Amino acid sequence: MKIVAVVGARPNFVKIAPILAELREYPYFSTSLVHTGQHYDAQMSDSFFANLDIPKPDVNLNVKAGGAVAQMAEIMTRFEGVLTGQRPDMVLVVGDVTSTVAAALTAVKLGFPVAHVEAGLRSFDRTMPEEVNRIVTDSISDLLFTTEPAAQANLTREGIPAERIHFVGNVMIDTLFRYRERARESDLLDRLRLEAGTYAVLTLHRPSNVDDEGTLGMLLEAIARIQAEVPVVFPVHPRTRRHLAALAPVLPPMPGLRLVDPLPYLDFLQLMANARCVLTDSGGIQEETTALRIPCLTLRQNTERPITVTRGSNRIVGTTQDAIYESWRTVAQGRWPVGELPELWDGKTAGRIVRVLLGVGR
């Protein structure tokens, strides 16, 4: 069985790593890895391949920067030649980024079946680019692998036949469990002169938070209050850094806010696992903090991963200064729920995915 697996952005790398490792255990799978180039620099791409033992891509489309529409069109144009040349039995896509939907659409247009890992997640907010990507990809996929029961229910409600849906668990947690011990060897805390449990971590990248100066300013006002009580380490996404520079003249001094470049996976895992809490607008970090039992304050109005709230250590706190600060105080006072590990988040999801693919290939 010949599979073409597609990645493009750093969350994809975390999700594909355990699947590729599992596929290597089966000699009757032939797997070709295609990197679209959506995240292409060393900090956003190369370090993840090295940290996660991902083999060098067989094909790199080198699409690189550009607006989402132009990027999507370029991925589709370049990926068409890959598919017509390789003619796979299955195209495997993961997550919800531009590369995911572009690769899925190209495959379907050319008559190749698609398997979508992390299907069925819904925020019910179509202003999020990822939400549109998820809906479109799920609607055209032949196999849909889900991480939680709510995703199953969403797909069923949307009319996806039950035989195409497979509840397998969460491959991001496979990666987290596999590399947790190796991450403990990271010296990042020493380099940043931090002690475990004495700092917070902040990540921001969603357009609704960082492209609007009013919203970003409001978030930073909340962070200004928190960093006065505890150091806040902020690995800054490149697009976020540009907006921070524009706001710098009107922001108060924040000596406790530590801006750092995007971190390799193992360093970031070590940073997150030892934090007092994490403040984020990332979906994947909501899941990783749930697995680590670290308090997570989600700086959004919704989540497509509700199990991180109902079962995990994540709470949706919004974007207003008072709500964020009050949530931090709940954490600081030790009153934040620890949560529990959701069903099938056991480090064995990739094996379940490959067993389904085996059945399809027979």
Side-chain angles (χ1 to χ4, degrees):
M1 186 177 185
K2 188 172 186 178
I3 293 176
V4 167
V6 181
V7 294
R10 56 192 289 167
N12 294 167
F13 311 147
V14 180
K15 293 162 191 169
I16 205 68
I19 301 173
L20 293 178
E22 188 71 20
L23 286 169
R24 288 195 291 269
E25 298 297 316
Y26 296 85
Y28 26 84
F29 278 113
S30 171
T31 306
S32 178
L33 179 63
V34 176
H35 188 343
T36 68
Q38 182 178 339
H39 282 173
Y40 54 90
D41 65 20
Q43 292 172 322
M44 301 295 283
S45 176
D46 293 356
S47 67
F48 273 60
F49 275 72
N51 275 192
L52 300 177
D53 304 309
I54 302 173
K56 182 180 178 181
D58 299 284
V59 178
N60 194 322
L61 302 182
N62 290 308
V63 171
K64 299 190 176 180
V69 174
Q71 194 175 65
M72 183 172 174
E74 194 64 30
I75 291 170
M76 294 180 71
T77 300
R78 299 186 187 191
F79 190 47
E80 178 180 10
V82 175
L83 291 182
T84 55
Q86 298 199 17
R87 305 202 65 80
D89 298 295
M90 184 72 68
V91 175
L92 181 69
V93 298
V94 296
D96 55 17
V97 299
T98 300
S99 297
T100 305
V101 67
L105 281 167
T106 307
V108 169
K109 284 289 187 180
L110 296 175
F112 298 103
V114 174
H116 183 206
V117 175
E118 200 181 79
L121 299 179
R122 298 290 182 269
S123 67
F124 304 102
D125 176 5
R126 293 199 182 190
T127 65
M128 293 176 59
E130 297 88 347
E131 181 77 353
V132 176
N133 296 345
R134 289 188 283 261
I135 292 169
V136 172
T137 303
D138 287 341
S139 70
I140 60 177
S141 293
D142 299 272
L143 291 175
L144 299 100
F145 296 108
T146 63
T147 59
E148 59 174 277
Q152 301 276 114
N154 292 334
L155 294 172
T156 300
R157 186 172 54 253
E158 292 169 11
I160 305 296
E163 62 269 20
R164 287 161 55 186
I165 306 170
H166 301 270
F167 175 37
V168 292
N170 194 326
V171 286
M172 288 193 76
I173 307 309
D174 285 20
T175 299
L176 187 149
F177 286 171
R178 179 176 181 180
Y179 290 97
R180 180 67 192 98
E181 286 304 313
R182 190 184 299 183
R184 293 184 203 279
E185 300 172 6
S186 166
D187 65 350
L188 180 70
L189 298 190
D190 291 336
R191 282 184 274 138
L192 295 178
R193 298 182 181 180
L194 295 170
E195 294 184 7
T198 66
Y199 61 90
V201 175
L202 171 68
T203 79
L204 291 171
H205 75 281
R206 295 201 175 276
S208 59
N209 279 341
V210 302
D211 291 357
D212 183 286
E213 287 191 5
T215 301
L216 182 57
M218 187 163 50
L219 291 169
L220 292 172
E221 287 172 358
I223 298 304
R225 297 174 69 181
I226 296 170
Q227 62 84 43
E229 301 177 15
V230 65
V232 177
V233 183
F234 186 6
V236 187
H237 191 282
R239 67 195 306 275
T240 306
R241 190 175 286 275
R242 292 193 294 272
H243 293 288
L244 286 175
L247 279 174
V250 298
L251 293 175
M254 287 189 267
L257 181 62
R258 312 267 297 272
L259 304 185
V260 299
D261 288 333
L263 295 169
Y265 179 79
L266 296 177
D267 281 348
F268 185 73
L269 176 53
Q270 176 73 340
L271 183 72
M272 183 169 52
N274 288 284
R276 187 70 188 88
C277 76
V278 176
L279 302 98
T280 189
D281 58 10
S282 161
I285 289 175
Q286 295 172 44
E287 295 177 327
E288 290 168 329
T289 50
T290 284
L292 293 167
R293 314 293 176 89
I294 299 295
C296 181
L297 285 62
T298 293
L299 309 178
R300 290 166 47 185
Q301 306 300 332
N302 52 51
T303 181
E304 64 282 352
R305 294 162 165 85
I307 204 165
T308 64
V309 175
T310 58
R311 295 279 295 276
S313 56
N314 176 41
R315 296 295 180 268
I316 310 303
V317 304
T319 57
T320 64
Q321 179 184 161
D322 288 344
I324 296 168
Y325 181 74
E326 288 169 8
S327 296
W328 153 248
R329 290 307 308 161
T330 301
V331 172
Q333 294 163 8
R335 297 187 288 111
W336 200 264
V338 174
E340 58 185 350
L341 202 62
E343 182 182 3
L344 297 188
W345 291 25
D346 56 4
K348 301 176 182 178
T349 293
R352 288 186 282 269
I353 289 172
V354 170
R355 285 195 291 274
V356 172
L357 294 174
L358 278 170
V360 172
R362 287 173 182 160

